[in-house]
Amino acid sequence: MSATTSAIESVLVENRVFPPADAVVKAARISGMAGYEALCKEAEADFEGFWAKQARANVQWSKPFTRTLDESNAPFFRWFDDGELNASANCLDKHIGSPTENKTAIIFEADDGAVTKITYKELLARVSQFANALKAHGVAKGDRVLIYMPMTIEGVIAMQACARIGATHSVVFGGFSAKAVHERIIDAGAVAVITANYQMRGGKELPLKAIIDEALAMGGCDTIRNVFVYQRTATACNMVAGRDKTFTEALAGQSTECAPVAVGAEHPLFILYTSGSTGKPKGVQHSTGGYLLWAKMTMDWTFDLRADDIFWCTADIGWITGHTYVAYGPLAAGATQIIFEGIPTFPNAGRFWQMIERHKCTIFYTAPTAIRSLIKAAEADEAVHPARSDLSSLRILGSVGEPINPEAWMWYHKNVGGERCPIVDTFWQTETGGHVITPLPGATPLVPGSCTLPLPGITAAIVDEMGNDVPNGSGGILVIKRPWPSMIRTIWNDPERFKKSYFPEELKGYYLAGDGAVRSADRGYFRITGRIDDVLNVSGHRMGTMEIESALVAKTDLVAEAAVVGRPDDVTGEAICAFVVLKRSRPTGEEAKQIANELRNWVAKEIGPIAKPKDIRFGDNLPKTRSGKIMRRLLRSIAKGEAITQDTSTLENPAILDQLAQTN
Ligand code: ATP
Ligand code: MG
């Protein structure tokens, strides 16, 4: 790395540090950095012993395991593989006979504001009854079931019921098209679909069953025998006689008791297709034992969960975050959680803050994309500002899904967390099953924009293209050196792609995350700099797209969001192209030129002239996946002036591509 690059990076050193308050440290499960370091040492001294001890303490095994880790067929690692368990029993049955049985498991707030609560005991009865209905329709251990449901208690019931009988679920986000559903049904070889007639979002009734019908009509879905339809709204939908059953029909006469089916620890609990930010979605296959272990442990560690917490993860069950921190983790940990059906901007953009107040939420976990859009909304309209709600119940905030820009972090900290709540910026992936690099609320001094340090037992590191460690302060490739229990087991139907994507030979058998990162020189903290293919090289200077985006977003009076990509340039090798959403309306003509100039000068001042975007374009929005992530690969094509020929099946807002293709 050249001296100039180091100079560029030194400007970006984040000096703000927020240590946890003494009282928080004292009360925490992992108390202070000493507590954190002790656990790391334990894992280092006896890796398998550490995990075996945790697996015995945190999971109820119907047959105890005797082998902890089997590396004989690496990278197809096996954990606890002669043990048996049931995931649903570990989330529900486990609490029966303890005070938790009558505790509220889920506080459900519907789109229209109606609130329904369900206790652990009631949830167990409903999961068991639905599991019996699935069995009665011939769904058995090892079968795959596609779930296409709105955010509802029934969505969680569907997942838990599959787990209860050993069926592998594959949840598809309710915003995906028939084509995406069709591909996933075929790839997974699903025998049944669980869906709803409609879903309610933002006051609108949106069809789900009709999309399933369309997908099934595309052909090749002969494996599907039944479609179970939850009647979310009173509106009728098409039902195919024999094949389709309403929940009411399927549940009629079914007992509310159903013995959980014990499965081997490596039995696939679910397949989940990644969000597609970087290419064709991959069917990530997860295990039962190792996955559940980490879901439970990270609830306790990252969120420092207590018996009286009201936990709220805003992610949809269609994403990994909604699997681990809605459908499994909170239940395995015996938490009370909020599930929200609707969208953050309905009936107004104060909905999240009003709900925190209404339900006395203590732990709030959301995504940077939501935070950025709510900042924009709060600044435009005082009535939806978080200050209008009583947020004093909050004690911990979380962020997930993308790097959070330091300025968005500061706003979240100040306006939502009242400068009192630690923010856990959790770095992880569909493939990692749960958090891997994250602060601990009662231990880690926080630095805005940094996911700080790996959890104990996670051997995260930064290496070069040959797998050699790079010193702190230099950027490189993020890897995890040793396997961990909740890691991806394979790509469904494609073990070769699994090996190639995640365990490339040059990297010494390390797990390749696909993200670039840098560790700070002083604390060794990790900061994610963007996807590996998002690193820019301008006149020989390597820069992460994230640095420039954060600099643009730091112009807080003007910029709401920014995405930066490179495009080939004859002179500089690569030129920087920035796509910007302003807090005001989209400028055109002379005005656009003037604002673009202002932003260029701003970046020059914040980072250095080398980082000045050559091209700045304005849009009403950015192309995002349905989970809210910016799709930079599409922006790269636009920047080059190419037609888009890539997979756009997971794109939320296709119309935006044309707008961004226009030059000023
Ligand atoms: P695909 O793999 O199909 O391209 P995806 O990577 O967007 O899709 P996910 O598994 O949902 O699918 O997202 C994981 C990625 O999200 C990480 O690799 C990283 O790029 C980003 N990410 C998640 N959390 C954080 C975080 N706290 N800080 C920085 N980046 C994060
Ligand atoms: Mg990914």
Side-chain angles (χ1 to χ4, degrees):
M1 185 170 294
S2 70
T4 331
T5 321
S6 316
I8 288 169
E9 282 186 353
S10 67
V11 188
L12 288 165
V13 168
E14 174 62 66
N15 290 316
R16 295 170 288 199
V17 181
F18 300 83
D22 289 345
V24 176
V25 173
K26 277 211 189 80
R29 282 172 188 265
I30 300 182
S31 178
M33 287 308 276
Y36 165 73
E37 278 153 16
L39 279 166
C40 292
K41 284 220 180 78
E42 197 187 317
E44 214 176 301
D46 177 9
F47 190 69
E48 288 192 32
F50 166 83
W51 285 115
K53 180 175 144 193
Q54 294 294 347
R56 291 192 181 103
N58 287 288
V59 174
Q60 282 191 352
W61 298 91
S62 38
K63 176 174 169 251
F65 61 91
T66 62
R67 285 191 298 264
T68 302
L69 170 61
D70 176 1
E71 303 188 75
S72 59
N73 189 26
F76 300 92
F77 299 101
R78 297 174 70 82
W79 284 89
F80 321 117
D81 75 334
D82 61 343
E84 290 181 3
L85 75 160
N86 180 278
S88 162
N90 268 276
C91 293
L92 301 170
D93 308 58
K94 181 173 93 178
H95 305 300
I96 303 306
S98 84
T100 310
E101 70 174 14
N102 292 315
K103 182 175 174 177
T104 300
I106 298 172
I107 302 170
F108 172 67
E109 183 166 316
D111 190 56
D112 66 1
V115 174
T116 315
K117 294 183 183 177
I118 184 167
T119 66
Y120 272 90
K121 209 173 177 175
E122 291 162 345
L123 187 60
L124 171 61
R126 293 195 51 198
V127 167
S128 298
Q129 195 181 26
F130 196 71
N132 282 328
L134 291 175
K135 278 204 297 196
H137 287 83
V139 181
K141 180 175 167 181
D143 285 342
R144 273 84 55 210
V145 175
L146 188 117
I147 298 178
Y148 190 63
M149 287 285 276
M151 281 299 281
T152 42
I153 294 174
E154 286 70 15
V156 174
I157 289 175
M159 294 167 78
Q160 286 280 341
C162 288
R164 197 160 187 88
I165 61 172
T168 299
H169 58 68
S170 184
V171 184
V172 178
F173 174 59
F176 277 148
S177 66
K179 184 167 164 274
V181 171
H182 179 248
E183 272 172 19
R184 286 159 177 72
I185 287 175
I186 291 184
D187 190 64
V191 303
V193 174
I194 306 174
T195 187
N197 61 343
Y198 287 87
Q199 61 179 336
M200 293 302 303
R201 284 170 74 83
K204 291 196 197 87
E205 194 178 28
L206 305 170
L208 286 177
K209 173 61 165 56
I211 291 170
I212 295 297
D213 286 344
E214 197 186 328
L216 293 177
M218 288 175 175
C221 303
D222 320 329
T223 50
I224 297 287
R225 295 190 301 260
N226 289 108
V227 179
F228 300 96
V229 185
Y230 167 55
Q231 284 163 299
R232 170 62 190 90
T233 67
T235 314
C237 67
N238 172 50
M239 296 290 281
V240 175
R243 187 193 72 184
D244 302 352
K245 300 274 164 72
T246 64
F247 269 36
T248 317
E249 286 164 353
L251 291 169
Q254 296 298 340
S255 158
T256 54
E257 279 175 34
C258 171
V261 173
V263 299
E266 284 296 320
H267 182 73
L269 179 62
F270 63 87
I271 303 162
L272 180 62
Y273 293 83
T274 56
S275 68
S277 311
T278 53
K280 184 174 176 281
K282 309 172 266 284
V284 172
Q285 178 182 323
H286 275 287
S287 72
T288 302
Y291 171 80
L292 196 84
L293 169 66
W294 200 230
K296 158 76 167 60
M297 284 176 70
T298 48
M299 282 300 297
D300 288 343
W301 282 2
T302 309
F303 298 116
D304 191 32
L305 192 77
R306 297 182 197 158
D308 58 354
D309 272 317
I310 309 285
F311 178 81
W312 185 14
C313 165
T314 67
D316 193 280
I317 52 167
W319 312 122
I320 189 67
T321 309
H323 279 59
T324 311
Y325 301 107
V326 177
Y328 290 105
L331 299 177
T336 295
Q337 69 170 319
I338 299 167
I339 292 184
F340 174 43
E341 176 178 42
I343 57 171
T345 49
F346 177 80
N348 59 60
R351 181 75 179 259
F352 276 2
W353 323 131
Q354 293 145 17
M355 281 183 62
I356 290 171
E357 172 175 341
R358 185 150 53 243
H359 302 298
K360 306 227 167 355
C361 171
T362 60
I363 305 173
F364 179 66
Y365 188 34
T366 197
T369 179
I371 298 168
R372 289 190 301 257
S373 73
L374 295 177
I375 295 175
K376 188 175 171 181
E379 290 185 355
D381 179 5
E382 179 53 32
V384 299
H385 197 280
R388 285 294 189 92
S389 299
D390 176 4
L391 305 181
S392 59
S393 57
L394 287 172
R395 65 180 195 93
I396 292 170
L397 300 177
S399 170
V400 59
E402 283 183 295
I404 177 164
N405 316 101
E407 289 322 312
W409 194 101
M410 289 304 296
W411 186 93
Y412 196 31
H413 173 68
K414 180 161 177 275
N415 296 288
V416 184
E419 297 182 338
R420 165 189 89 248
C421 304
I423 298 178
V424 288
D425 175 359
T426 60
F427 170 83
W428 61 297
Q429 310 174 295
T430 307
E431 296 87 345
T432 67
H435 306 148
V436 285
I437 308 180
T438 177
L440 297 171
T444 321
L446 305 172
V447 171
S450 166
C451 50
T452 73
L453 295 167
L455 285 168
I458 303 292
T459 51
I462 301 178
V463 299
D464 63 20
E465 281 84 0
M466 300 311 293
N468 301 311
D469 286 295
V470 302
N472 289 358
S474 325
I477 298 169
L478 179 63
V479 296
I480 302 178
K481 292 188 171 177
R482 302 205 60 183
W484 67 102
S486 69
M487 70 192 297
I488 174 176
R489 293 306 193 264
T490 187
I491 292 177
W492 182 260
N493 274 341
D494 205 347
E496 275 313 307
R497 187 173 176 205
F498 166 74
K499 277 206 264 188
K500 268 211 335 248
S501 311
Y502 302 112
F503 294 91
E505 262 162 40
E506 326 74 84
L507 289 184
K508 305 182 175 173
Y510 300 160
Y511 167 81
L512 171 69
D515 289 293
V518 58
R519 299 186 73 161
S520 66
D522 51 349
R523 295 169 186 270
Y525 276 11
F526 287 73
R527 193 161 47 80
I528 307 299
T529 49
R531 313 293 177 130
I532 292 175
D533 19 326
D534 287 343
V535 173
L536 304 177
N537 192 334
V538 183
S539 307
H541 306 297
R542 287 168 65 80
M543 276 175 280
T545 48
M546 188 59 199
E547 330 268 15
I548 306 164
E549 288 165 11
S550 283
L552 285 163
V553 175
K555 183 126 185 66
T556 51
D557 57 330
L558 201 57
V559 178
E561 271 195 298
V564 165
V565 297
R567 68 147 194 257
D569 186 280
D570 293 343
V571 181
T572 54
E574 230 174 347
I576 300 168
C577 189
F579 296 84
V580 175
V581 181
L582 296 180
K583 284 183 174 169
R584 39 150 288 174
S585 59
R586 187 170 81 98
T588 51
E590 267 315 302
E591 200 189 10
K593 281 197 186 114
Q594 203 186 320
I595 297 178
N597 250 336
E598 190 184 338
L599 290 177
R600 247 178 236 118
N601 294 334
W602 169 266
V603 172
K605 192 172 108 277
E606 288 282 293
I607 306 181
I610 188 78
K612 265 190 182 181
K614 185 158 188 185
D615 188 0
I616 295 189
R617 297 192 197 180
F618 300 99
D620 295 323
N621 206 335
L622 297 169
K624 289 184 185 162
T625 63
R626 288 174 195 266
S627 53
K629 293 172 201 242
I630 300 166
M631 278 171 127
R632 289 184 188 72
R633 63 182 164 94
L634 299 182
L635 292 175
R636 272 198 293 273
S637 300
I638 293 177
K640 280 189 227 159
E642 289 173 358
I644 290 174
T645 53
Q646 310 156 51
D647 184 312
T648 53
S649 62
T650 66
L651 180 64
E652 159 101 57
N653 46 353
I656 201 70
L657 298 177
D658 288 336
Q659 187 184 75
L660 294 171
Q662 293 162 27
T663 37
N664 296 312

